[in-house]
Amino acid sequence: MNLTTLAGSRRTVSGNSGASHRRIIGYRTREFFLFLLPIAAFVLIWEIATLVAKWPPYLLPGPAKVAETFWALLINGDLLRYLRDSVGRLMLGSVTAFFVAVPMGYLIATSRFADRAFSPLIAMTQPIPGIAWIPLAILWFGLGPAAVGFIIFLSAFFPILINTVAGVRAVGKDLRRVAQVFHFPRRMLLFDVMLPGALPYIVTGTRLGFGYGWRALVAGEMIAASSGLGYMIFDARNYLKTDEVIVGMLTIGLFWAFVERVALRPIERCTVERWGMVTSAN
Amino acid sequence: MLTTFFESRSNGYSKQRAPTENGGLHALVTQIRAVGITKIFQAVDGSEVVALDGLDLDIRPGEFVCVVGPSGCGKSTFLSMMAGLETPTEGTIAIKDTVISSPHPDVAMVFQEHSLFPWKTVLHNVAVAQKARGMPRKQREQRAREIIAMAGLSGFEDKHPCELSGGMRQRVGIARALAAEPEVLLMDEPFGALDAQTRKLFQEELLRIYDQFGKTIVFVTHSVEEAVFLADRVVVMTFRPGRIKKVFDVPIERPRTLDILNDEIFQEIRTEVWESLKEEASLAFEALGNRAGRCK
Ligand SMILES: Nc1ncnc2c1ncn2[C@@H]1O[C@H](COP(=O)(O)OP(=O)(O)OP(=O)(O)O)[C@@H](O)[C@H]1O
Ligand SMILES: [Mg+2]
């Protein structure tokens, strides 16, 4: 990738004629523009629309105003504090969900009895959206982090569970036979065969689960919390501070895109993709 | 690379090969004894498939036995039973006079689809058997490195299977089985996925291993030529239900090289075995035609 960029820029300096010019732009530069262009276009349309239509700011403030508010909230620390609270709850709920769902999924996949016992319950509970639990959560845990954590837990739990079950079942019979022939002890069967074999599914489930958790979190915080990004959005709406509402939404989206890129994708790349267990996305 | 496969003769592996001609010393002992093996599978639609029907076979220690038969005659099933992975519906399999119901510690297997762990490096794939036995990490990795070197895979210790060619993966599969230091090596079409030239070289190398380590080998293959080239005895199986049709002795002396492929005696035996197999193969071919489109 670096080489292409270097070669590209060198040729630009030496000044080629117009025809091949398009190919001269380095790969990175092109990627960057492809990334930026749609966003820039969106912001531009937004700006023009607000200028032309002259909506009152509480209906739709322009991007400049939103950027200004974003900056202000960043500087005074509100945004980071809310983000921290939200992420804290996300971790509490989702990580707990992970550590319950993976062993339980393993159990269901490997024990016919556990499968029989749990499957109907799961089939019934799984379609209920996490936020439908909010009223019960508030009744049981009161307004506060526990209620929100509970909702995140439920939202993250099922994708992880269901994918773990599928993953463990997908571990090839041939590999289990290898484990038998070479007399793998139980521990080794679990950690050297079944769990790594199920990993592509577990990774997918975890990505989905944390993503669902993140969404449920915002909904939960709107109702059952007094801090966090969801709370921020809800509170701002009460005062018709639409720019703050949009800042909250932007932060939710940006943060998750960031987590995907910086944490989740690399984990995938250096495990299941490196081992050739799934084909790489790019 | 191909030249180095198990070249070095070393480290306590070099047991003397048991004499196989004229019975000799070990004639009284059987390494593997299969008595009246019948295997009936329950198909998905509830019907029964008789895969094997009353099969008897004695294998002497240090003997190299090849099993040929048409596709679906139960070769893999038979091998799996010797490995202790399947239990016969009727009959017994004994390894060194012990009737087995689960994998025997002295038996290792090279699988049809090499079946390496994709998440383990070559080194760790080869070391699994010793890890399972609880050998300390340093020691088992040292051992695995030796075997990897013998298998001509030096420099690939830290690669994952997906980075290797098909032939190299098969080497790893064989190295893994040898690392377990088994007395009996079961091989299910180990060279099936290789191109014709590589396959020939692998056969020669396998014979070299065999001559050095003196293991008992049961080798399943589709290729009559391969079977006659490698084996002391070639077992021809019938198509469904799987029975032993005929057993051919191959009295060609060892060590053998690919040159014997041109010998008269080799070609004679090959023709005999092929004649015997041909009828079964055409039966299987017809049956396959009738079953086309059904999933098992
Ligand atoms: N688990 C199973 N359930 C039902 N039928 C089975 C099962 N395993 C094998 N069979 C049937 O038993 C017969 C023997 O199978 P096996 O795999 O041993 O044949 P094979 O000789 O190894 O064939 P190939 O040469 O194609 O590898 C086949 O007809 C197969 O359909
Ligand atoms: Mg087979």
Side-chain angles (χ1 to χ4, degrees), chain B residues 75-76 112 188-189:
Chain B
K75 304 182 295 294
S76 296
Q112 195 162 0
D188 193 356
E189 297 188 47

Side-chain angles (χ1 to χ4, degrees), chain A residues 81-105:
Chain A
R81 207 175 58 242
Y82 286 151
L83 184 63
R84 185 199 63 202
D85 288 353
S86 288
V87 172
R89 285 173 199 146
L90 174 76
M91 292 318 269
L92 182 77
S94 303
V95 171
T96 317
F98 179 86
F99 282 107
V100 180
V102 171
M104 192 168 157

Side-chain angles (χ1 to χ4, degrees), chain B residues 10-263:
Chain B
S10 65
N11 58 53
Y13 276 107
S14 26
K15 273 182 259 170
Q16 205 55 43
R17 196 164 78 73
T20 48
E21 281 96 359
N22 70 44
L25 201 58
H26 291 276
L28 299 173
V29 190
T30 36
Q31 178 81 271
I32 306 171
R33 164 165 282 171
V35 184
I37 298 297
T38 297
K39 180 72 185 182
I40 299 173
F41 282 114
Q42 209 77 39
V44 189
D45 58 8
S47 66
E48 288 186 340
V49 180
V50 183
L52 296 169
D53 185 21
L55 192 142
D56 300 305
L57 186 67
D58 273 6
I59 296 171
R60 294 187 291 270
E63 195 177 19
F64 199 134
V65 172
C66 281
V67 180
V68 293
S71 193
C73 73
K75 304 182 295 294
S76 296
T77 306
F78 185 40
L79 215 61
S80 304
M81 287 195 273
M82 289 191 263
L85 292 169
E86 308 243 19
T87 45
T89 312
E90 271 169 48
T92 54
I93 291 191
I95 309 279
K96 292 194 294 188
D97 295 332
T98 321
V99 173
I100 58 164
S101 57
S102 63
H104 191 281
D106 290 334
V107 178
M109 183 155 177
V110 178
F111 290 81
Q112 195 162 0
E113 310 283 339
H114 55 71
S115 305
L116 302 175
F117 297 107
W119 47 89
K120 285 183 180 287
T121 60
V122 168
L123 182 71
H124 292 131
N125 262 295
V126 172
V128 286
Q130 307 289 28
K131 184 176 182 185
R133 286 174 192 164
M135 187 187 274
R137 164 172 241 137
K138 270 240 172 71
Q139 218 175 325
R140 67 173 187 256
E141 287 186 359
Q142 175 61 32
R143 208 131 187 71
R145 273 178 212 285
E146 284 167 21
I147 292 194
I148 287 167
M150 285 194 285
L153 289 163
S154 292
F156 293 94
E157 290 90 346
D158 298 323
K159 296 257 184 276
H160 285 90
C162 66
E163 300 168 278
L164 306 180
S165 70
M168 285 158 90
R169 283 180 213 165
Q170 199 48 268
R171 272 163 202 267
V172 180
I174 296 170
R176 172 175 70 187
L178 286 172
E181 300 178 35
E183 281 176 33
V184 177
L185 202 54
L186 305 174
M187 307 178 91
D188 193 356
E189 297 188 47
F191 306 151
L194 304 180
D195 64 87
Q197 294 85 351
T198 317
R199 188 167 181 160
K200 286 221 159 58
L201 295 169
F202 266 77
Q203 290 164 7
E204 235 181 3
E205 287 168 4
L206 178 61
L207 282 189
R208 207 143 52 200
I209 299 169
Y210 173 65
D211 290 334
Q212 269 179 30
F213 295 129
K215 307 210 178 291
T216 308
I217 299 183
V218 185
F219 187 104
V220 167
T221 174
H222 271 119
S223 159
V224 172
E225 188 175 80
E226 181 168 81
V228 177
F229 177 62
L230 295 173
D232 296 316
R233 280 194 299 159
V234 178
V235 175
V236 178
M237 287 178 62
T238 60
F239 179 64
R240 211 173 293 157
R243 294 197 184 99
I244 290 182
K245 183 174 190 188
K246 203 164 173 199
V247 180
F248 294 86
D249 279 312
V250 186
I252 302 175
E253 65 184 24
R254 300 181 186 273
R256 299 175 189 171
T257 62
L258 288 169
D259 297 335
I260 69 155
L261 297 188
N262 298 316
D263 290 358

Side-chain angles (χ1 to χ4, degrees), chain A residues 8 11-12 15-25:
Chain A
R11 264 194 283 159
T12 321
N16 264 335
S17 56
S20 58
H21 191 76
R22 204 161 288 161
R23 283 178 35 219
I24 290 167
I25 299 173

